[in-house]
């Protein structure tokens, strides 16, 4: 079995449409909460997903395909990179354009400073800001953290993290033109 077949199997899951699907799956496999999946956790996770007919050699090959750093553990980035759906050139272009619009200081990463410029007015309308639960800064940080690597939120969103976020969303939108339309609607100049 290949990584592509695992990806296709997982995308058929009713939960695969959730933005947090890969994050939730990773956490469910990371039994020791180390933020890395070892071989035993990976094997158990595959069994819990219903992939019980894999041989030991197939599981080992899959694990090695995921473990691109070859350190005997799969971190979240390796996990997402293996399972995220491939993006068409049209989708990549729309995602890259959105990233550039958000990166107001043109430093190649998204930070709270970028979001202050782009989303400050929208943040004021967040329900938690309106009811006084959050400050505008907390709303902006929450939005930024949505794009950041789960469990490793550092306040900086790289292009890779932005691609990973939208690759997961992209999986639930079958038409390239509609995906591009949605991206353009969300990130109008």
């Amino acid at each position: 079995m290949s990584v592509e077949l695992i990806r296709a199997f997982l995308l058929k899951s009713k939960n695969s449409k959730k933005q947090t699907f890969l994050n939730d799956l990773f956490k469910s496999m990371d039994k020791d909460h180390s933020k890395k999946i070892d071989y035993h956790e990976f094997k158990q996770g595959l069994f819990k997903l219903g992939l019980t007919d894999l041989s030991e050699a197939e599981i080992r090959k899959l694990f090695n395909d995921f473990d691109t750093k070859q350190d005997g553990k799969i971190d979240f980035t390796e996990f997402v990179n293996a399972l995220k759906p491939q993006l068409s050139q049209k989708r990549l272009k729309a995602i890259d354009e959105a990233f550039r619009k958000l990166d107001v200081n043109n430093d190649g990463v998204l930070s709270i400073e970028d979001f202050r410029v782009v989303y400050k007015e929208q943040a004021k309308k967040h329900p938690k800001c309106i009811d006084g639960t959050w400050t505008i800064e907390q709303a902006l940080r929450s939005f930024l953290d949505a794009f950041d690597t789960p469990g490793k939120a550092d306040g900086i969103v790289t292009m890779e993290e932005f691609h990973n976020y939208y690759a997961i969303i992209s999986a639930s939108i079958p038409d390239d033109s509609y995906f591009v339309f949605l991206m353009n609607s969300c990130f109008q100049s």
Side-chain angles (χ1 to χ4, degrees):
M1 178 162 287
S2 69
V3 172
E4 291 78 22
L5 290 174
I6 296 281
R7 183 183 310 119
F9 174 82
L10 291 174
L11 288 175
K12 290 178 185 173
S13 163
K14 64 179 177 169
N15 292 326
S16 71
K17 305 298 185 234
K18 288 176 46 185
Q19 279 179 256
T20 60
F21 173 66
L22 290 180
N23 184 38
D24 295 344
L25 181 58
F26 183 85
K27 284 181 177 178
S28 75
M29 293 173 91
D30 179 22
K31 294 298 183 190
D32 66 359
H33 309 288
S34 65
K35 298 189 169 103
K36 293 188 177 199
I37 299 170
D38 65 24
Y39 178 77
H40 177 73
E41 291 169 323
F42 184 76
K43 182 177 176 179
Q44 291 303 109
L46 291 177
F47 286 163
K48 285 190 178 180
L49 288 170
L51 298 167
T52 55
D53 59 342
L54 298 174
S55 71
E56 193 69 29
E58 288 174 310
I59 295 169
R60 177 59 64 190
K61 181 184 179 330
L62 277 172
F63 182 83
N64 290 336
D65 289 345
F66 275 72
D67 182 20
T68 57
K69 294 177 186 168
Q70 299 183 343
D71 60 0
K73 305 241 183 207
I74 302 167
D75 66 24
F76 186 74
T77 301
E78 289 172 308
F79 189 77
V80 169
N81 284 338
L83 293 176
K84 71 182 177 186
Q86 299 303 307
L87 293 164
S88 70
Q89 287 303 309
K90 283 183 178 182
R91 292 178 190 227
L92 280 171
K93 182 180 177 200
I95 294 166
D96 290 349
E97 286 173 5
F99 186 91
R100 283 191 295 278
K101 286 177 184 176
L102 290 174
D103 184 16
V104 294
N105 62 7
N106 296 314
D107 63 356
V109 295
L110 304 179
S111 66
I112 197 76
E113 290 78 22
D114 295 310
F115 279 47
R116 273 191 209 108
V117 172
V118 178
Y119 286 114
K120 187 172 185 175
E121 291 306 310
Q122 290 89 334
K124 290 178 184 176
K125 298 173 189 171
H126 190 288
K128 289 188 176 186
C129 287
I130 291 170
D131 74 12
T133 308
W134 279 359
T135 64
I136 292 170
E137 201 70 12
Q138 288 171 308
L140 291 170
R141 182 57 192 241
S142 174
F143 187 49
L144 179 71
D145 287 350
F147 297 104
D148 218 340
T149 299
K152 293 184 179 180
D154 59 4
I156 301 293
V157 177
T158 64
M159 180 69 86
E160 179 183 14
E161 289 170 322
F162 202 71
H163 278 195
N164 288 343
Y165 179 87
Y166 279 105
I168 295 164
I169 290 173
S170 174
S172 65
I173 303 171
D175 183 69
D176 279 354
S177 297
Y178 188 59
F179 179 83
V180 171
F181 166 76
L182 291 174
M183 291 297 292
N184 290 340
S185 297
C186 291
F187 299 101
Q188 292 177 2
S189 298

